[in-house]
PDB file of all heavy atoms in Angstrom:
ATOM      1  N   MET T   1      63.818 -31.901 -36.389  1.00 97.00           N
ATOM      2  CA  MET T   1      65.203 -31.451 -36.231  1.00 97.00           C
ATOM      3  C   MET T   1      65.288 -30.272 -35.249  1.00 97.00           C
ATOM      4  O   MET T   1      66.073 -29.350 -35.442  1.00 97.00           O
ATOM      5  CB  MET T   1      65.782 -31.048 -37.593  1.00 97.00           C
ATOM      6  CG  MET T   1      65.936 -32.197 -38.571  1.00 97.00           C
ATOM      7  SD  MET T   1      66.505 -31.657 -40.206  1.00 97.00           S
ATOM      8  CE  MET T   1      68.181 -31.114 -39.850  1.00 97.00           C
ATOM      9  N   THR T   2      64.484 -30.311 -34.185  1.00 96.00           N
ATOM     10  CA  THR T   2      64.450 -29.175 -33.257  1.00 96.00           C
ATOM     11  C   THR T   2      65.829 -28.866 -32.677  1.00 96.00           C
ATOM     12  O   THR T   2      66.224 -27.702 -32.575  1.00 96.00           O
ATOM     13  CB  THR T   2      63.448 -29.441 -32.122  1.00 96.00           C
ATOM     14  OG1 THR T   2      63.715 -30.735 -31.552  1.00 96.00           O
ATOM     15  CG2 THR T   2      62.019 -29.413 -32.638  1.00 96.00           C
ATOM     16  N   GLY T   3      66.572 -29.886 -32.308  1.00 96.00           N
ATOM     17  CA  GLY T   3      67.871 -29.664 -31.687  1.00 96.00           C
ATOM     18  C   GLY T   3      68.983 -29.277 -32.650  1.00 96.00           C
ATOM     19  O   GLY T   3      70.048 -28.831 -32.220  1.00 96.00           O
ATOM     20  N   TRP T   4      68.741 -29.411 -33.938  1.00 98.00           N
ATOM     21  CA  TRP T   4      69.753 -29.052 -34.935  1.00 98.00           C
ATOM     22  C   TRP T   4      69.851 -27.539 -35.098  1.00 98.00           C
ATOM     23  O   TRP T   4      70.872 -27.031 -35.554  1.00 98.00           O
ATOM     24  CB  TRP T   4      69.430 -29.696 -36.286  1.00 98.00           C
ATOM     25  CG  TRP T   4      69.416 -31.186 -36.282  1.00 98.00           C
ATOM     26  CD1 TRP T   4      68.425 -32.006 -35.808  1.00 98.00           C
ATOM     27  CD2 TRP T   4      70.438 -32.057 -36.776  1.00 98.00           C
ATOM     28  NE1 TRP T   4      68.756 -33.325 -35.980  1.00 98.00           N
ATOM     29  CE2 TRP T   4      69.996 -33.390 -36.585  1.00 98.00           C
ATOM     30  CE3 TRP T   4      71.675 -31.849 -37.385  1.00 98.00           C
ATOM     31  CZ2 TRP T   4      70.748 -34.489 -36.956  1.00 98.00           C
ATOM     32  CZ3 TRP T   4      72.414 -32.955 -37.768  1.00 98.00           C
ATOM     33  CH2 TRP T   4      71.960 -34.255 -37.551  1.00 98.00           C
ATOM     34  N   ARG T   5      68.786 -26.828 -34.782  1.00 98.00           N
ATOM     35  CA  ARG T   5      68.740 -25.367 -34.755  1.00 98.00           C
ATOM     36  C   ARG T   5      69.059 -24.733 -36.099  1.00 98.00           C
ATOM     37  O   ARG T   5      70.060 -24.038 -36.263  1.00 98.00           O
ATOM     38  CB  ARG T   5      69.676 -24.798 -33.671  1.00 98.00           C
ATOM     39  CG  ARG T   5      69.502 -25.364 -32.273  1.00 98.00           C
ATOM     40  CD  ARG T   5      68.072 -25.290 -31.772  1.00 98.00           C
ATOM     41  NE  ARG T   5      67.584 -23.909 -31.674  1.00 98.00           N
ATOM     42  CZ  ARG T   5      66.370 -23.532 -32.076  1.00 98.00           C
ATOM     43  NH1 ARG T   5      65.545 -24.396 -32.634  1.00 98.00           N
ATOM     44  NH2 ARG T   5      65.997 -22.273 -31.943  1.00 98.00           N
ATOM     45  N   ILE T   6      68.176 -24.946 -37.074  1.00 98.00           N
ATOM     46  CA  ILE T   6      68.300 -24.283 -38.372  1.00 98.00           C
ATOM     47  C   ILE T   6      66.946 -23.678 -38.752  1.00 98.00           C
ATOM     48  O   ILE T   6      65.952 -24.396 -38.935  1.00 98.00           O
ATOM     49  CB  ILE T   6      68.762 -25.249 -39.484  1.00 98.00           C
ATOM     50  CG1 ILE T   6      70.187 -25.743 -39.220  1.00 98.00           C
ATOM     51  CG2 ILE T   6      68.674 -24.553 -40.848  1.00 98.00           C
ATOM     52  CD1 ILE T   6      71.270 -24.683 -39.362  1.00 98.00           C
ATOM     53  N   GLY T   7      66.933 -22.349 -38.855  1.00 98.00           N
ATOM     54  CA  GLY T   7      65.794 -21.632 -39.409  1.00 98.00           C
ATOM     55  C   GLY T   7      66.269 -20.823 -40.593  1.00 98.00           C
ATOM     56  O   GLY T   7      67.473 -20.612 -40.772  1.00 98.00           O
ATOM     57  N   TYR T   8      65.336 -20.368 -41.403  1.00 98.00           N
ATOM     58  CA  TYR T   8      65.738 -19.591 -42.578  1.00 98.00           C
ATOM     59  C   TYR T   8      64.607 -18.672 -42.997  1.00 98.00           C
ATOM     60  O   TYR T   8      63.461 -18.791 -42.541  1.00 98.00           O
ATOM     61  CB  TYR T   8      66.141 -20.512 -43.735  1.00 98.00           C
ATOM     62  CG  TYR T   8      65.070 -21.483 -44.194  1.00 98.00           C
ATOM     63  CD1 TYR T   8      64.073 -21.094 -45.082  1.00 98.00           C
ATOM     64  CD2 TYR T   8      65.068 -22.813 -43.754  1.00 98.00           C
ATOM     65  CE1 TYR T   8      63.098 -21.977 -45.512  1.00 98.00           C
ATOM     66  CE2 TYR T   8      64.103 -23.705 -44.176  1.00 98.00           C
ATOM     67  CZ  TYR T   8      63.121 -23.284 -45.064  1.00 98.00           C
ATOM     68  OH  TYR T   8      62.165 -24.159 -45.480  1.00 98.00           O
ATOM     69  N   ALA T   9      64.939 -17.738 -43.884  1.00 98.00           N
ATOM     70  CA  ALA T   9      63.935 -16.810 -44.395  1.00 98.00           C
ATOM     71  C   ALA T   9      64.328 -16.322 -45.773  1.00 98.00           C
ATOM     72  O   ALA T   9      65.511 -16.291 -46.135  1.00 98.00           O
ATOM     73  CB  ALA T   9      63.776 -15.624 -43.455  1.00 98.00           C
ATOM     74  N   GLY T  10      63.311 -15.922 -46.531  1.00 98.00           N
ATOM     75  CA  GLY T  10      63.503 -15.233 -47.792  1.00 98.00           C
ATOM     76  C   GLY T  10      62.876 -13.863 -47.702  1.00 98.00           C
ATOM     77  O   GLY T  10      61.788 -13.706 -47.126  1.00 98.00           O
ATOM     78  N   GLY T  11      63.552 -12.854 -48.258  1.00 98.00           N
ATOM     79  CA  GLY T  11      63.013 -11.505 -48.183  1.00 98.00           C
ATOM     80  C   GLY T  11      63.811 -10.534 -49.022  1.00 98.00           C
ATOM     81  O   GLY T  11      64.759 -10.928 -49.729  1.00 98.00           O
ATOM     82  N   PRO T  12      63.465  -9.253 -48.963  1.00 98.00           N
ATOM     83  CA  PRO T  12      64.182  -8.237 -49.735  1.00 98.00           C
ATOM     84  C   PRO T  12      65.666  -8.192 -49.389  1.00 98.00           C
ATOM     85  O   PRO T  12      66.045  -8.364 -48.224  1.00 98.00           O
ATOM     86  CB  PRO T  12      63.481  -6.936 -49.334  1.00 98.00           C
ATOM     87  CG  PRO T  12      62.122  -7.358 -48.863  1.00 98.00           C
ATOM     88  CD  PRO T  12      62.328  -8.692 -48.218  1.00 98.00           C
ATOM     89  N   THR T  13      66.492  -7.953 -50.388  1.00 98.00           N
ATOM     90  CA  THR T  13      67.946  -8.001 -50.208  1.00 98.00           C
ATOM     91  C   THR T  13      68.430  -7.054 -49.123  1.00 98.00           C
ATOM     92  O   THR T  13      69.305  -7.406 -48.318  1.00 98.00           O
ATOM     93  CB  THR T  13      68.647  -7.670 -51.543  1.00 98.00           C
ATOM     94  OG1 THR T  13      68.155  -8.554 -52.556  1.00 98.00           O
ATOM     95  CG2 THR T  13      70.146  -7.841 -51.430  1.00 98.00           C
ATOM     96  N   GLN T  14      67.865  -5.850 -49.065  1.00 98.00           N
ATOM     97  CA  GLN T  14      68.309  -4.877 -48.061  1.00 98.00           C
ATOM     98  C   GLN T  14      68.028  -5.371 -46.648  1.00 98.00           C
ATOM     99  O   GLN T  14      68.858  -5.240 -45.751  1.00 98.00           O
ATOM    100  CB  GLN T  14      67.643  -3.523 -48.293  1.00 98.00           C
ATOM    101  CG  GLN T  14      68.146  -2.425 -47.357  1.00 98.00           C
ATOM    102  CD  GLN T  14      67.488  -1.080 -47.620  1.00 98.00           C
ATOM    103  OE1 GLN T  14      66.518  -0.977 -48.365  1.00 98.00           O
ATOM    104  NE2 GLN T  14      68.026  -0.034 -47.016  1.00 98.00           N
ATOM    105  N   LEU T  15      66.851  -5.948 -46.446  1.00 98.00           N
ATOM    106  CA  LEU T  15      66.506  -6.486 -45.130  1.00 98.00           C
ATOM    107  C   LEU T  15      67.409  -7.665 -44.774  1.00 98.00           C
ATOM    108  O   LEU T  15      67.920  -7.751 -43.651  1.00 98.00           O
ATOM    109  CB  LEU T  15      65.039  -6.924 -45.106  1.00 98.00           C
ATOM    110  CG  LEU T  15      64.573  -7.684 -43.859  1.00 98.00           C
ATOM    111  CD1 LEU T  15      64.745  -6.843 -42.598  1.00 98.00           C
ATOM    112  CD2 LEU T  15      63.120  -8.130 -44.013  1.00 98.00           C
ATOM    113  N   ILE T  16      67.619  -8.563 -45.718  1.00 98.00           N
ATOM    114  CA  ILE T  16      68.475  -9.728 -45.475  1.00 98.00           C
ATOM    115  C   ILE T  16      69.892  -9.276 -45.119  1.00 98.00           C
ATOM    116  O   ILE T  16      70.544  -9.826 -44.220  1.00 98.00           O
ATOM    117  CB  ILE T  16      68.479 -10.659 -46.699  1.00 98.00           C
ATOM    118  CG1 ILE T  16      67.079 -11.259 -46.925  1.00 98.00           C
ATOM    119  CG2 ILE T  16      69.524 -11.767 -46.535  1.00 98.00           C
ATOM    120  CD1 ILE T  16      66.550 -12.119 -45.801  1.00 98.00           C
ATOM    121  N   GLY T  17      70.382  -8.253 -45.795  1.00 98.00           N
ATOM    122  CA  GLY T  17      71.706  -7.718 -45.476  1.00 98.00           C
ATOM    123  C   GLY T  17      71.777  -7.149 -44.081  1.00 98.00           C
ATOM    124  O   GLY T  17      72.780  -7.324 -43.370  1.00 98.00           O
ATOM    125  N   ALA T  18      70.716  -6.461 -43.659  1.00 98.00           N
ATOM    126  CA  ALA T  18      70.676  -5.907 -42.306  1.00 98.00           C
ATOM    127  C   ALA T  18      70.635  -7.018 -41.264  1.00 98.00           C
ATOM    128  O   ALA T  18      71.296  -6.939 -40.211  1.00 98.00           O
ATOM    129  CB  ALA T  18      69.464  -4.998 -42.155  1.00 98.00           C
ATOM    130  N   MET T  19      69.895  -8.077 -41.552  1.00 98.00           N
ATOM    131  CA  MET T  19      69.839  -9.225 -40.638  1.00 98.00           C
ATOM    132  C   MET T  19      71.201  -9.914 -40.564  1.00 98.00           C
ATOM    133  O   MET T  19      71.620 -10.368 -39.494  1.00 98.00           O
ATOM    134  CB  MET T  19      68.760 -10.202 -41.100  1.00 98.00           C
ATOM    135  CG  MET T  19      67.347  -9.668 -40.968  1.00 98.00           C
ATOM    136  SD  MET T  19      66.104 -10.641 -41.860  1.00 98.00           S
ATOM    137  CE  MET T  19      66.287 -12.248 -41.100  1.00 98.00           C
ATOM    138  N   ARG T  20      71.901  -9.975 -41.692  1.00 98.00           N
ATOM    139  CA  ARG T  20      73.245 -10.571 -41.704  1.00 98.00           C
ATOM    140  C   ARG T  20      74.184  -9.774 -40.791  1.00 98.00           C
ATOM    141  O   ARG T  20      74.993 -10.351 -40.063  1.00 98.00           O
ATOM    142  CB  ARG T  20      73.789 -10.586 -43.127  1.00 98.00           C
ATOM    143  CG  ARG T  20      75.181 -11.243 -43.260  1.00 98.00           C
ATOM    144  CD  ARG T  20      75.736 -11.112 -44.671  1.00 98.00           C
ATOM    145  NE  ARG T  20      74.773 -11.578 -45.661  1.00 98.00           N
ATOM    146  CZ  ARG T  20      74.239 -10.813 -46.603  1.00 98.00           C
ATOM    147  NH1 ARG T  20      74.562  -9.527 -46.686  1.00 98.00           N
ATOM    148  NH2 ARG T  20      73.375 -11.311 -47.468  1.00 98.00           N
ATOM    149  N   LYS T  21      74.055  -8.459 -40.812  1.00 98.00           N
ATOM    150  CA  LYS T  21      74.907  -7.613 -39.973  1.00 98.00           C
ATOM    151  C   LYS T  21      74.662  -7.899 -38.490  1.00 98.00           C
ATOM    152  O   LYS T  21      75.604  -8.026 -37.700  1.00 98.00           O
ATOM    153  CB  LYS T  21      74.647  -6.136 -40.274  1.00 98.00           C
ATOM    154  CG  LYS T  21      75.542  -5.185 -39.501  1.00 98.00           C
ATOM    155  CD  LYS T  21      75.202  -3.724 -39.777  1.00 98.00           C
ATOM    156  CE  LYS T  21      75.558  -3.310 -41.182  1.00 98.00           C
ATOM    157  NZ  LYS T  21      75.373  -1.835 -41.379  1.00 98.00           N
ATOM    158  N   VAL T  22      73.385  -8.025 -38.117  1.00 98.00           N
ATOM    159  CA  VAL T  22      73.046  -8.350 -36.721  1.00 98.00           C
ATOM    160  C   VAL T  22      73.643  -9.696 -36.333  1.00 98.00           C
ATOM    161  O   VAL T  22      74.287  -9.844 -35.285  1.00 98.00           O
ATOM    162  CB  VAL T  22      71.513  -8.361 -36.510  1.00 98.00           C
ATOM    163  CG1 VAL T  22      71.173  -8.888 -35.118  1.00 98.00           C
ATOM    164  CG2 VAL T  22      70.933  -6.973 -36.708  1.00 98.00           C
ATOM    165  N   GLN T  23      73.459 -10.693 -37.196  1.00 98.00           N
ATOM    166  CA  GLN T  23      73.932 -12.045 -36.871  1.00 98.00           C
ATOM    167  C   GLN T  23      75.454 -12.124 -36.834  1.00 98.00           C
ATOM    168  O   GLN T  23      76.018 -12.849 -36.009  1.00 98.00           O
ATOM    169  CB  GLN T  23      73.363 -13.045 -37.885  1.00 98.00           C
ATOM    170  CG  GLN T  23      73.663 -14.502 -37.538  1.00 98.00           C
ATOM    171  CD  GLN T  23      72.703 -15.449 -38.235  1.00 98.00           C
ATOM    172  OE1 GLN T  23      71.493 -15.243 -38.247  1.00 98.00           O
ATOM    173  NE2 GLN T  23      73.245 -16.495 -38.825  1.00 98.00           N
ATOM    174  N   SER T  24      76.109 -11.349 -37.704  1.00 97.00           N
ATOM    175  CA  SER T  24      77.576 -11.400 -37.740  1.00 97.00           C
ATOM    176  C   SER T  24      78.198 -10.878 -36.459  1.00 97.00           C
ATOM    177  O   SER T  24      79.332 -11.239 -36.117  1.00 97.00           O
ATOM    178  CB  SER T  24      78.098 -10.596 -38.936  1.00 97.00           C
ATOM    179  OG  SER T  24      77.914  -9.192 -38.733  1.00 97.00           O
ATOM    180  N   GLN T  25      77.455 -10.049 -35.720  1.00 97.00           N
ATOM    181  CA  GLN T  25      77.982  -9.504 -34.472  1.00 97.00           C
ATOM    182  C   GLN T  25      77.355 -10.150 -33.240  1.00 97.00           C
ATOM    183  O   GLN T  25      77.577  -9.689 -32.122  1.00 97.00           O
ATOM    184  CB  GLN T  25      77.755  -7.983 -34.431  1.00 97.00           C
ATOM    185  CG  GLN T  25      78.475  -7.216 -35.532  1.00 97.00           C
ATOM    186  CD  GLN T  25      79.989  -7.343 -35.468  1.00 97.00           C
ATOM    187  OE1 GLN T  25      80.545  -7.852 -34.506  1.00 97.00           O
ATOM    188  NE2 GLN T  25      80.669  -6.886 -36.519  1.00 97.00           N
ATOM    189  N   SER T  26      76.579 -11.202 -33.443  1.00 96.00           N
ATOM    190  CA  SER T  26      76.012 -11.929 -32.294  1.00 96.00           C
ATOM    191  C   SER T  26      76.509 -13.369 -32.303  1.00 96.00           C
ATOM    192  O   SER T  26      77.529 -13.687 -31.691  1.00 96.00           O
ATOM    193  CB  SER T  26      74.484 -11.850 -32.293  1.00 96.00           C
ATOM    194  OG  SER T  26      73.944 -12.326 -33.508  1.00 96.00           O
ATOM    195  N   THR T  27      75.860 -14.239 -33.047  1.00 96.00           N
ATOM    196  CA  THR T  27      76.261 -15.655 -33.046  1.00 96.00           C
ATOM    197  C   THR T  27      77.182 -16.022 -34.192  1.00 96.00           C
ATOM    198  O   THR T  27      77.833 -17.052 -34.151  1.00 96.00           O
ATOM    199  CB  THR T  27      75.028 -16.558 -33.144  1.00 96.00           C
ATOM    200  OG1 THR T  27      74.363 -16.305 -34.391  1.00 96.00           O
ATOM    201  CG2 THR T  27      74.074 -16.307 -31.990  1.00 96.00           C
ATOM    202  N   SER T  28      77.190 -15.227 -35.271  1.00 97.00           N
ATOM    203  CA  SER T  28      77.807 -15.616 -36.537  1.00 97.00           C
ATOM    204  C   SER T  28      77.095 -16.861 -37.066  1.00 97.00           C
ATOM    205  O   SER T  28      75.898 -17.004 -36.867  1.00 97.00           O
ATOM    206  CB  SER T  28      79.311 -15.813 -36.395  1.00 97.00           C
ATOM    207  OG  SER T  28      79.932 -15.822 -37.668  1.00 97.00           O
ATOM    208  N   ASN T  29      77.807 -17.762 -37.722  1.00 98.00           N
ATOM    209  CA  ASN T  29      77.115 -18.816 -38.476  1.00 98.00           C
ATOM    210  C   ASN T  29      76.459 -19.875 -37.598  1.00 98.00           C
ATOM    211  O   ASN T  29      76.947 -20.190 -36.500  1.00 98.00           O
ATOM    212  CB  ASN T  29      78.081 -19.503 -39.449  1.00 98.00           C
ATOM    213  CG  ASN T  29      79.152 -20.323 -38.740  1.00 98.00           C
ATOM    214  OD1 ASN T  29      80.172 -19.776 -38.345  1.00 98.00           O
ATOM    215  ND2 ASN T  29      78.939 -21.629 -38.601  1.00 98.00           N
ATOM    216  N   PRO T  30      75.338 -20.455 -38.082  1.00 98.00           N
ATOM    217  CA  PRO T  30      74.790 -21.654 -37.429  1.00 98.00           C
ATOM    218  C   PRO T  30      75.783 -22.801 -37.591  1.00 98.00           C
ATOM    219  O   PRO T  30      76.703 -22.747 -38.413  1.00 98.00           O
ATOM    220  CB  PRO T  30      73.501 -21.929 -38.202  1.00 98.00           C
ATOM    221  CG  PRO T  30      73.246 -20.718 -39.027  1.00 98.00           C
ATOM    222  CD  PRO T  30      74.564 -20.066 -39.261  1.00 98.00           C
ATOM    223  N   SER T  31      75.592 -23.867 -36.836  1.00 98.00           N
ATOM    224  CA  SER T  31      76.446 -25.045 -36.916  1.00 98.00           C
ATOM    225  C   SER T  31      76.620 -25.508 -38.364  1.00 98.00           C
ATOM    226  O   SER T  31      75.639 -25.707 -39.085  1.00 98.00           O
ATOM    227  CB  SER T  31      75.842 -26.181 -36.089  1.00 98.00           C
ATOM    228  OG  SER T  31      76.368 -27.433 -36.481  1.00 98.00           O
ATOM    229  N   SER T  32      77.869 -25.679 -38.765  1.00 98.00           N
ATOM    230  CA  SER T  32      78.136 -26.133 -40.134  1.00 98.00           C
ATOM    231  C   SER T  32      77.528 -27.510 -40.386  1.00 98.00           C
ATOM    232  O   SER T  32      76.976 -27.775 -41.465  1.00 98.00           O
ATOM    233  CB  SER T  32      79.643 -26.158 -40.400  1.00 98.00           C
ATOM    234  OG  SER T  32      80.300 -27.054 -39.513  1.00 98.00           O
ATOM    235  N   ILE T  33      77.612 -28.394 -39.412  1.00 98.00           N
ATOM    236  CA  ILE T  33      77.073 -29.750 -39.571  1.00 98.00           C
ATOM    237  C   ILE T  33      75.552 -29.700 -39.730  1.00 98.00           C
ATOM    238  O   ILE T  33      74.971 -30.394 -40.578  1.00 98.00           O
ATOM    239  CB  ILE T  33      77.450 -30.631 -38.361  1.00 98.00           C
ATOM    240  CG1 ILE T  33      78.973 -30.656 -38.166  1.00 98.00           C
ATOM    241  CG2 ILE T  33      76.906 -32.040 -38.544  1.00 98.00           C
ATOM    242  CD1 ILE T  33      79.756 -31.032 -39.404  1.00 98.00           C
ATOM    243  N   SER T  34      74.899 -28.881 -38.922  1.00 98.00           N
ATOM    244  CA  SER T  34      73.448 -28.742 -39.028  1.00 98.00           C
ATOM    245  C   SER T  34      73.044 -28.191 -40.389  1.00 98.00           C
ATOM    246  O   SER T  34      72.009 -28.572 -40.948  1.00 98.00           O
ATOM    247  CB  SER T  34      72.928 -27.822 -37.918  1.00 98.00           C
ATOM    248  OG  SER T  34      73.122 -28.401 -36.643  1.00 98.00           O
ATOM    249  N   GLN T  35      73.855 -27.281 -40.933  1.00 98.00           N
ATOM    250  CA  GLN T  35      73.538 -26.731 -42.246  1.00 98.00           C
ATOM    251  C   GLN T  35      73.564 -27.814 -43.322  1.00 98.00           C
ATOM    252  O   GLN T  35      72.669 -27.875 -44.178  1.00 98.00           O
ATOM    253  CB  GLN T  35      74.514 -25.612 -42.594  1.00 98.00           C
ATOM    254  CG  GLN T  35      74.325 -24.344 -41.761  1.00 98.00           C
ATOM    255  CD  GLN T  35      75.192 -23.217 -42.286  1.00 98.00           C
ATOM    256  OE1 GLN T  35      75.014 -22.758 -43.412  1.00 98.00           O
ATOM    257  NE2 GLN T  35      76.146 -22.770 -41.474  1.00 98.00           N
ATOM    258  N   TRP T  36      74.572 -28.677 -43.281  1.00 98.00           N
ATOM    259  CA  TRP T  36      74.632 -29.748 -44.278  1.00 98.00           C
ATOM    260  C   TRP T  36      73.491 -30.744 -44.099  1.00 98.00           C
ATOM    261  O   TRP T  36      72.964 -31.289 -45.076  1.00 98.00           O
ATOM    262  CB  TRP T  36      75.997 -30.441 -44.225  1.00 98.00           C
ATOM    263  CG  TRP T  36      77.067 -29.615 -44.864  1.00 98.00           C
ATOM    264  CD1 TRP T  36      78.062 -28.906 -44.247  1.00 98.00           C
ATOM    265  CD2 TRP T  36      77.223 -29.375 -46.266  1.00 98.00           C
ATOM    266  NE1 TRP T  36      78.825 -28.242 -45.172  1.00 98.00           N
ATOM    267  CE2 TRP T  36      78.344 -28.512 -46.426  1.00 98.00           C
ATOM    268  CE3 TRP T  36      76.547 -29.792 -47.409  1.00 98.00           C
ATOM    269  CZ2 TRP T  36      78.782 -28.062 -47.669  1.00 98.00           C
ATOM    270  CZ3 TRP T  36      76.980 -29.360 -48.646  1.00 98.00           C
ATOM    271  CH2 TRP T  36      78.085 -28.500 -48.770  1.00 98.00           C
ATOM    272  N   ALA T  37      73.093 -30.979 -42.858  1.00 98.00           N
ATOM    273  CA  ALA T  37      71.929 -31.837 -42.622  1.00 98.00           C
ATOM    274  C   ALA T  37      70.674 -31.192 -43.208  1.00 98.00           C
ATOM    275  O   ALA T  37      69.817 -31.885 -43.790  1.00 98.00           O
ATOM    276  CB  ALA T  37      71.761 -32.080 -41.126  1.00 98.00           C
ATOM    277  N   ALA T  38      70.559 -29.867 -43.079  1.00 98.00           N
ATOM    278  CA  ALA T  38      69.392 -29.159 -43.605  1.00 98.00           C
ATOM    279  C   ALA T  38      69.353 -29.188 -45.127  1.00 98.00           C
ATOM    280  O   ALA T  38      68.271 -29.226 -45.735  1.00 98.00           O
ATOM    281  CB  ALA T  38      69.375 -27.723 -43.100  1.00 98.00           C
ATOM    282  N   VAL T  39      70.525 -29.173 -45.769  1.00 98.00           N
ATOM    283  CA  VAL T  39      70.572 -29.316 -47.231  1.00 98.00           C
ATOM    284  C   VAL T  39      69.891 -30.619 -47.643  1.00 98.00           C
ATOM    285  O   VAL T  39      69.057 -30.663 -48.558  1.00 98.00           O
ATOM    286  CB  VAL T  39      72.030 -29.281 -47.751  1.00 98.00           C
ATOM    287  CG1 VAL T  39      72.083 -29.664 -49.224  1.00 98.00           C
ATOM    288  CG2 VAL T  39      72.647 -27.911 -47.540  1.00 98.00           C
ATOM    289  N   GLU T  40      70.232 -31.694 -46.951  1.00 98.00           N
ATOM    290  CA  GLU T  40      69.636 -32.995 -47.265  1.00 98.00           C
ATOM    291  C   GLU T  40      68.146 -33.008 -46.923  1.00 98.00           C
ATOM    292  O   GLU T  40      67.343 -33.603 -47.661  1.00 98.00           O
ATOM    293  CB  GLU T  40      70.363 -34.108 -46.505  1.00 98.00           C
ATOM    294  CG  GLU T  40      69.766 -35.497 -46.690  1.00 98.00           C
ATOM    295  CD  GLU T  40      69.777 -35.992 -48.133  1.00 98.00           C
ATOM    296  OE1 GLU T  40      70.600 -35.510 -48.936  1.00 98.00           O
ATOM    297  OE2 GLU T  40      68.948 -36.872 -48.455  1.00 98.00           O
ATOM    298  N   ALA T  41      67.772 -32.363 -45.811  1.00 98.00           N
ATOM    299  CA  ALA T  41      66.353 -32.321 -45.435  1.00 98.00           C
ATOM    300  C   ALA T  41      65.520 -31.686 -46.549  1.00 98.00           C
ATOM    301  O   ALA T  41      64.462 -32.207 -46.928  1.00 98.00           O
ATOM    302  CB  ALA T  41      66.175 -31.545 -44.136  1.00 98.00           C
ATOM    303  N   LEU T  42      65.997 -30.577 -47.098  1.00 98.00           N
ATOM    304  CA  LEU T  42      65.221 -29.857 -48.105  1.00 98.00           C
ATOM    305  C   LEU T  42      65.326 -30.485 -49.486  1.00 98.00           C
ATOM    306  O   LEU T  42      64.350 -30.470 -50.253  1.00 98.00           O
ATOM    307  CB  LEU T  42      65.675 -28.393 -48.154  1.00 98.00           C
ATOM    308  CG  LEU T  42      65.429 -27.576 -46.885  1.00 98.00           C
ATOM    309  CD1 LEU T  42      65.964 -26.163 -47.051  1.00 98.00           C
ATOM    310  CD2 LEU T  42      63.950 -27.542 -46.527  1.00 98.00           C
ATOM    311  N   ASN T  43      66.498 -31.020 -49.821  1.00 98.00           N
ATOM    312  CA  ASN T  43      66.703 -31.592 -51.161  1.00 98.00           C
ATOM    313  C   ASN T  43      66.352 -33.066 -51.253  1.00 98.00           C
ATOM    314  O   ASN T  43      66.095 -33.587 -52.336  1.00 98.00           O
ATOM    315  CB  ASN T  43      68.165 -31.428 -51.590  1.00 98.00           C
ATOM    316  CG  ASN T  43      68.510 -29.993 -51.966  1.00 98.00           C
ATOM    317  OD1 ASN T  43      67.633 -29.168 -52.172  1.00 98.00           O
ATOM    318  ND2 ASN T  43      69.802 -29.703 -52.050  1.00 98.00           N
ATOM    319  N   GLY T  44      66.364 -33.764 -50.121  1.00 98.00           N
ATOM    320  CA  GLY T  44      66.203 -35.213 -50.119  1.00 98.00           C
ATOM    321  C   GLY T  44      64.754 -35.662 -50.151  1.00 98.00           C
ATOM    322  O   GLY T  44      63.843 -34.867 -50.412  1.00 98.00           O
TER     323      GLY T  44
END
């Protein structure tokens, strides 16, 4: 799924919050469609 462009991470809440702040002022959310495809990739 290289072209779908979905990466993720788990980590301490404070760090994740800081990363959210960076992303909210750069790209904001990844593609909604790609996110739903990733749900199926991980759960399916």
Side-chain angles (χ1 to χ4, degrees):
M1 294 176 68
T2 50
W4 298 78
R5 308 307 298 137
I6 294 291
Y8 58 83
T13 305
Q14 185 179 11
L15 172 60
I16 295 298
M19 292 166 59
R20 182 186 308 118
K21 183 183 291 187
V22 172
Q23 187 159 314
S24 71
Q25 298 298 350
S26 56
T27 63
S28 196
N29 68 275
S31 160
S32 61
I33 304 307
S34 295
Q35 290 188 64
W36 284 106
V39 170
E40 176 61 23
L42 296 178
N43 286 345

